[in-house]
Structure formats: structure tokens, C-alpha cells
Amino acid sequence: MRRGSAAAVAAAAVIAGTLLPAAPAAAVHGAVPGDFDGDGYRDLVLPVPGADVGWGDQAGAIVVVYGSAKGVSATSRRQTITEESPGVPGHPFDRDQFGTTTATADLNRDGYADLVVGGPHSLSDQQITVLWGSRNGLAKGTRLPLQSAYREDSALDVAALSLGTGSKTKILVGGARMTTVFKGSFAKDGSYGSSIQTRADNSVGSVALGDFNRSGSPDQVAFGPKLPELSGSPIMVNHGGTQTWPEPLKHGNGLIAATGDIDGDGYADLVVGDPLEPVTPGVDGETGGRVLVYRGSKNGITRAQTPEVITQDTAGVPGTSEKGDTFGAGLTVADLNRDGAADIVIGAPYEAVGAAERTGTVTVIPGRRSGALGTGGYSFHQDTTGIPSGNEAGDFFGTTLSAGDLNRDGRPELIIGAAGENNGNGAVFTLPGGTSRPTGTGSRVFTLETLGMAQADGWLGGKGLLRLL
């Protein structure tokens, strides 16, 4: 494949998710694979927010590649969904960018995974669409209203988590002015239990959900405004969902979050990516970027908690912290080695490999039941053996990340987006799950061409945090 620099690619803020169906699902970061047709195989979600649809320039699309015993490939059964698809509400207008944000969860608890889709630049106040799973896959869609005077950038990110009936199932929507939580019960007719909006002026829009105190109800995570005196934004953890956010965490800041049980103690932990350079070194960030880990407990995530800090200079982590790496710009959490302690997957889309500037790398930090994180870390890039590509400037490998078992062999695949591939068309790589970790051998790549969508600037896989980097 020939590619060129795509440094001008724009992006919306995003959030990561985890591997299990009941866990928080990802947005443009790459929606966690879900079993939308109930056949026992999880299905791959490929957002194409820059796709032209009819007369709508950058109206956006979603491609679902259905899993099977052979996994997924360009020849697998697939479904392309846009706002002009039968049963999907809305109309494909210019720059709707339908599919910019996505999340997966069984919202109505009928055994089929559902897909939540956002279009943050839609002029409608209904920028969130729920596509309902069924025996035939994703079919009927309904919309959720965002009651805000600030329609532009009102759906920059979305997370979904179902831990039980009623309000134990939530959809969290992040925007530049408002964060909105929708609580269950959810139904295919578009009804839901209730919604609450929280003001968050000039927010970067990232959100996440996780049960940090094992209460059985999702806790909310959002980020405040990007402050000039910080490398990232304040982190706000709200255990109930009210109209007023609590004070932000005292220690740490960032731009993106994921949740998962890193130490296998039964409590979800909060992982935050802080990829930008520090304003005050040693105080608000680290050279090349950092990742922060806050441990869940019976008290949840407390405001005064001091996080564990991971950089490329941490013992056991491959690579070296260098200015501009953006370590932490891509993020997801999943138990890749199946030991009961979830692993942290970190994208550094601006990292150079050899002479290839901003080609990008992905690093995995194995979860541990005790001890400091970092030991056993490993990484991937496009020159890793078996990956069907090569490092070139501006690929941004690691822009978006997710993981899920697509062939039901018990070994989750690692899914990596590269927003700059093919001059901004984007690409998504699936790395098979190996005996103890994913491997480049047998990897597959999806491009707009292989999906029958040969056009420029589709941003296949999503645009990640590139707008903010």
C-alpha cells in the first residue's frame, strides 16, 4: 500500500472501552466488538465518519463485519449502515460525520448487542442513534435527544455499559458544553428511563463508564476544559449522575480514559491517557506522554487518590520517552493473555520508528495482581513481523484501539486503527490472539478499497484524539 503524510487530519475526542460485553464500550477509539446477530461470534465495527453518502459530503457510515469461525476478513459478510439505510432515522447531510463516536452494549438485555452511534456535527438535536441487534444483525434504529442549545460538538464521545436492569444500564454522551447520561430501561421503540445533563463548558468531550466500587451501577467519568496550565484536562468522577459534577481528582489530568480490572480484584480501575507534553515537567505530565492508573475499591475512585504513572521510561516498558511521542493518545483495556487481570493497550500515534516520523506504535502493559505495572510490556508497529503494511510518515498507527474475540477461540484479537494510512483514508488492522498474547502473524488489514468504499478522507477506524494533539 502506498501512503502519504496526513498530518492535517482532523479529529474528535474519544474514549476507550474494554473487552467483555458488559464492560464500557468504545467510541471512535473503536467500538468493542459485539454479537449483534446472536450467533455466538462477536462482530467488528468499522466507523467511516468521513464517508460521502448520496449528496452528503462526509455524512458518515458504519461498516459491520460479522464474525465467524474464521474470524473477519475483507471477504466476510458485512453490512454498511448510513442515515439513509432502511430503518435508520435521519438523513445524510453534509458533515454529519455519522459514526464519529460508537459504543457497544446490550441496552435492552435481550441477548443481542446494540450499537450506539454519534454524529457530533449534525445540526439535529438528536445526534445519538441506537442501532438494535437482532437475529439478522443490526436493523432498526431509534434516536436519543440531546436537549442543548449547543448542538455543534454535542456528541464528541459516547460510552455504554449494561450491568443490570433499569438504571444499571447507561449511555454517557460527552460534548463541548454538556455531558448527558441516559439511564435505562431502554427499549427498541426509543424509550428510556431518564436523562440528566451536566454543564461542562469547553470540555474536550471524553467520557467513560465503569463500576469502581462494585455497586452494580455504572460510575461516570468525564473531562473538563483543556487548561493552558495543564498538559490535559481535569478528571471528574461522578458516582450518581447529577446536574453538578463533583470537584475533579486532585492528582492527574488527561484527555482519554478506559476502565477495566487491571489487578483482578473484582473492582474496575480507571486508566487515563495524558499524551501531551507537560507544561510544568514533573508536575502535570511527562515528556512523550504518560498513562495514569487509579485503582478501584469498595470506596470507588477517591478525589485525593494518587495514581500510578506509566511512561516509556518505566521499567519493563519498551521504547524511550521522547518529546512528541503522544504515548497515551490511544487507549483500551482488555484481558489479552486471559489471566484474569486486564491489560492496558496504549497508542502513541505520533511516535517515530526509524526514519518514519509520526508512523505510530502500540504498547501493551500486562495487568498484574500485585506489584508495579510495566513488567512484560511489548509493542507493535507496522514493521512488526506479519503485519501487512510498513512504517511510513504520517500513518498514525495506534490512533484508535479495541479488542475482542472475533472467531470464538478464546483468544481476543487486538484491533488497531491508523487514521493517516492511505493519505487520510485510514485503515484498521486486526491482530490474532496468540497463545499468551496477540501476534502480528496472520494479521489482516481493512481499507476503504477492500470494503468497496474507494474514496478520499474517509478516516476508516476513526480519528481518535488527532484534533487535540
Side-chain angles (χ1 to χ4, degrees):
M1 293 179 292
R2 289 296 305 165
R3 301 173 297 279
S5 175
V9 176
V14 297
I15 197 66
T18 60
L19 174 63
L20 299 177
V28 74
H29 192 135
V32 174
D35 186 4
F36 302 119
D37 58 2
D39 66 351
Y41 296 98
R42 297 186 188 184
D43 310 309
L44 178 64
V45 178
L46 300 174
V48 196
D52 296 337
V53 180
W55 294 101
D57 292 342
Q58 297 183 16
I62 295 286
V63 178
V64 177
V65 185
Y66 286 90
S68 70
K70 297 181 180 180
V72 295
S73 69
T75 60
S76 300
R77 179 171 71 95
R78 65 177 184 259
Q79 177 185 16
T80 301
I81 303 171
T82 71
E83 289 179 289
E84 68 175 7
S85 296
V88 177
H91 182 82
F93 291 108
D94 287 352
R95 287 188 53 78
D96 275 358
Q97 295 184 14
F98 177 81
T100 292
T101 59
T102 53
T104 308
D106 183 1
L107 298 173
N108 59 350
R109 303 186 66 79
D110 64 352
Y112 298 99
D114 309 305
L115 184 65
V116 185
V117 182
H121 303 299
S122 172
L123 295 180
S124 169
D125 63 356
Q126 295 181 315
Q127 296 164 312
I128 299 297
T129 302
V130 179
L131 301 173
W132 299 97
S134 71
R135 180 175 57 185
N136 298 316
L138 294 174
K140 176 184 177 181
T142 58
R143 281 188 158 181
L144 296 173
L146 294 176
Q147 303 298 332
S148 173
Y150 305 98
R151 292 178 180 176
E152 182 75 4
D153 293 338
S154 290
L156 290 174
D157 193 21
V158 63
L161 176 58
S162 181
L163 295 177
T165 59
S167 62
K168 293 183 178 181
T169 295
K170 293 181 180 180
I171 297 172
L172 187 61
V173 183
R177 298 286 185 179
M178 294 285 183
T179 298
T180 305
V181 60
F182 294 92
K183 301 179 181 180
S185 298
F186 294 91
K188 284 188 176 182
D189 62 5
S191 62
Y192 56 93
S194 63
S195 66
I196 298 174
Q197 281 195 326
T198 306
R199 188 71 177 261
D201 285 345
N202 301 313
S203 170
V204 297
S206 292
V207 293
L209 291 166
D211 188 3
F212 304 127
N213 59 355
R214 209 161 61 188
S215 67
S217 182
D219 301 316
Q220 300 169 211
V221 181
F223 290 83
K226 176 67 179 71
L227 301 177
E229 65 270 25
L230 294 176
S231 56
S233 296
I235 308 162
M236 298 177 289
V237 177
N238 181 352
H239 291 277
T242 64
Q243 293 182 349
T244 303
W245 283 105
E247 290 293 316
L249 301 184
K250 291 180 66 177
H251 305 290
N253 50 261
L255 299 177
I256 185 173
T259 69
D261 188 359
I262 305 299
D263 51 11
D265 65 354
Y267 296 97
D269 306 305
L270 173 62
V271 183
V272 173
D274 184 22
L276 298 182
E277 296 302 306
V279 177
T280 306
V283 176
D284 70 306
E286 298 287 347
T287 298
R290 65 179 181 172
V291 167
L292 310 177
V293 180
Y294 300 84
R295 307 285 181 159
S297 70
K298 65 180 181 181
N299 297 318
I301 304 294
T302 61
R303 182 170 178 261
Q305 194 166 333
T306 300
E308 184 174 348
V309 178
I310 302 170
T311 73
Q312 287 183 290
D313 288 337
T314 299
V317 178
T320 302
S321 295
E322 298 172 312
K323 187 176 181 179
D325 282 348
T326 65
F327 183 78
L331 197 63
T332 197
V333 175
D335 188 1
L336 299 176
N337 60 2
R338 308 178 309 283
D339 66 351
D343 309 313
I344 304 171
V345 187
I346 304 165
Y350 274 32
E351 185 164 15
V353 179
E357 298 289 335
R358 297 185 177 184
T359 190
T361 64
V362 172
T363 300
V364 179
I365 308 297
R368 300 186 64 186
R369 295 187 180 274
S370 62
L373 295 167
T375 301
Y378 55 95
S379 63
F380 299 98
H381 50 76
Q382 290 182 90
D383 283 341
T384 297
T385 301
I387 293 181
S389 189
N391 291 317
E392 289 187 349
D395 280 348
F396 303 137
F397 184 77
T399 303
T400 60
L401 298 166
S402 67
D405 185 1
L406 299 167
N407 60 358
R408 208 168 62 183
D409 66 352
R411 302 173 178 179
E413 279 74 28
L414 179 57
I415 302 158
I416 301 172
E421 189 84 28
N422 296 329
N423 298 308
N425 282 337
V428 174
F429 299 82
T430 60
L431 279 59
T435 302
S436 60
R437 69 189 201 186
T439 174
T441 302
S443 297
R444 292 169 176 169
V445 60
F446 293 88
T447 66
L448 292 182
E449 184 177 5
T450 62
L451 295 173
M453 302 176 68
Q455 63 178 70
D457 297 329
W459 303 309
L460 173 63
K463 298 175 289 184
L465 286 176
L466 294 185
R467 176 177 62 87
L468 302 175
L469 302 181

